[in-house]
Amino acid sequence: MFDKLKAYLDSVHARDPAPRSRWEILLYPGVWALGFHRIAHWLFEAKLYFLARVVNHVSRALTAIDIHPGATIGRNFFIDHGFTVIGETAEIGDNVTIYQCVTLGGTNPANGKGGKRHPTIEDNVIIGSGAQIIGPIIVGERARVGANAVVTEDVAPGATMVGLKARSTLVPAEEWIKEFIPYGTPSDDPCEPRSDCIEKLESDLNALRAELAELKAAQARASEDASARQESLDFGRKSGTAD
């Protein structure tokens, strides 16, 4: 038992360099939430639903993490910081990392019946802070979900999902095979790879505005010159008539 606990704490330390010892990791709310969930899930499997909910309620009050007792969670699961919600039919594989404010949420079937309503997260997945993964979808092995992404469709193994609604981005092979990347996305690449298009559009718009201003100024000058010529002609006619 203690060997398993040590292995788990070491797996957390491998993903979070902040703690100086295993004792610090034991204070993490994510570690406590997982411990409470193991008890609640055991009670849930024994059909002691009320007691399972009591343990879940105590865990949520102490850790600000809400894991339904029915959720299935594999080995070395790590919630960094907390404020996470995991639904009843969610399934989480081994070595999964979730950052703060993530929801593994469910959808109500059209027929009103229960069933698989929450996502399945396969092994070695990283989910960035604020991400929302909704519905009975599958997030493939080693996939990464960027911060604040909203995922409502299956995610291919190794894909990186960014944006609202989330879309897949291509990840170089050398990045894909890395054991762990914090927050699920490489820090040297923009989360929105098409932002250069927006910048180009803004630049083109500014150029068009400047060109339009020049055309208006030229038109105004031409109008003033035409008026001056017309006044000169009128003055000449009047002078000729007077003579």
Side-chain angles (χ1 to χ4, degrees), residues 50-91:
F50 178 75
L51 291 178
R53 279 291 193 177
V54 169
V55 175
N56 165 250
H57 185 76
V58 172
S59 174
R60 184 173 63 229
L62 292 176
T63 66
I65 297 171
D66 187 4
I67 307 176
H68 192 284
T72 302
I73 299 178
R75 297 181 298 107
N76 298 333
F77 177 55
F78 176 38
I79 300 175
D80 199 356
H81 303 298
F83 310 104
T84 291
V85 177
I86 299 174
E88 176 184 5
T89 61
E91 299 176 54

Side-chain angles (χ1 to χ4, degrees), residues 1-10 76:
M1 177 180 175
F2 288 105
D3 289 339
K4 289 183 178 179
L5 178 60
K6 287 170 60 178
Y8 171 66
L9 297 177
D10 289 341
N76 298 333

Side-chain angles (χ1 to χ4, degrees), residues 31-54:
V31 173
W32 281 85
L34 181 59
F36 277 117
H37 174 72
R38 298 299 190 197
I39 299 170
H41 186 68
W42 181 81
L43 293 170
F44 188 87
E45 291 287 295
K47 298 186 178 180
L48 300 172
Y49 301 123
F50 178 75
L51 291 178
R53 279 291 193 177
V54 169

Side-chain angles (χ1 to χ4, degrees), residues 4 11 44 54 57 59 133 135 142 173 197 205-207 209 214 237 239 243:
K4 289 183 178 179
S11 76
F44 188 87
V54 169
H57 185 76
S59 174
I133 303 177
R142 281 189 175 275
C197 292
L205 180 59
N206 290 333
R209 284 174 175 168
E214 290 179 2
R237 291 196 194 99
S239 297
D243 292 341

Side-chain angles (χ1 to χ4, degrees), residues 37-222:
H37 174 72
R38 298 299 190 197
I39 299 170
H41 186 68
W42 181 81
L43 293 170
F44 188 87
E45 291 287 295
K47 298 186 178 180
L48 300 172
Y49 301 123
F50 178 75
L51 291 178
R53 279 291 193 177
V54 169
V55 175
N56 165 250
H57 185 76
V58 172
S59 174
R60 184 173 63 229
L62 292 176
T63 66
I65 297 171
D66 187 4
I67 307 176
H68 192 284
T72 302
I73 299 178
R75 297 181 298 107
N76 298 333
F77 177 55
F78 176 38
I79 300 175
D80 199 356
H81 303 298
F83 310 104
T84 291
V85 177
I86 299 174
E88 176 184 5
T89 61
E91 299 176 54
I92 300 174
D94 297 337
N95 305 307
V96 172
T97 303
I98 291 180
Y99 287 88
Q100 64 270 18
C101 303
V102 167
T103 300
L104 304 185
T107 55
N108 289 324
N111 59 12
K113 296 180 181 179
K116 180 63 172 170
R117 308 185 309 280
H118 300 86
T120 295
I121 312 298
E122 295 187 344
D123 297 346
N124 302 299
V125 170
I126 304 169
I127 303 177
S129 55
Q132 310 296 301
I133 303 177
I134 308 299
I137 62 176
I138 297 175
V139 179
E141 183 179 358
R142 281 189 175 275
R144 299 163 188 163
V145 179
N148 296 319
V150 177
V151 183
T152 57
E153 297 177 353
D154 289 349
V155 178
T160 295
M161 305 296 290
V162 297
L164 175 69
K165 172 182 175 184
R167 63 183 183 279
S168 178
T169 62
L170 297 176
V171 178
E174 62 271 16
E175 296 289 349
W176 192 88
I177 62 174
K178 283 187 176 179
E179 288 299 324
F180 184 75
I181 290 183
Y183 292 93
T185 50
S187 59
D188 56 349
D189 292 332
C191 288
E192 296 293 339
R194 302 300 297 172
S195 61
D196 58 330
C197 292
I198 297 176
E199 294 175 0
K200 187 176 184 303
L201 284 172
E202 289 179 347
S203 177
D204 291 345
L205 180 59
N206 290 333
L208 286 172
R209 284 174 175 168
E211 186 176 348
L212 181 60
E214 290 179 2
L215 288 173
K216 286 183 176 180
Q219 186 179 22
R221 289 194 298 269

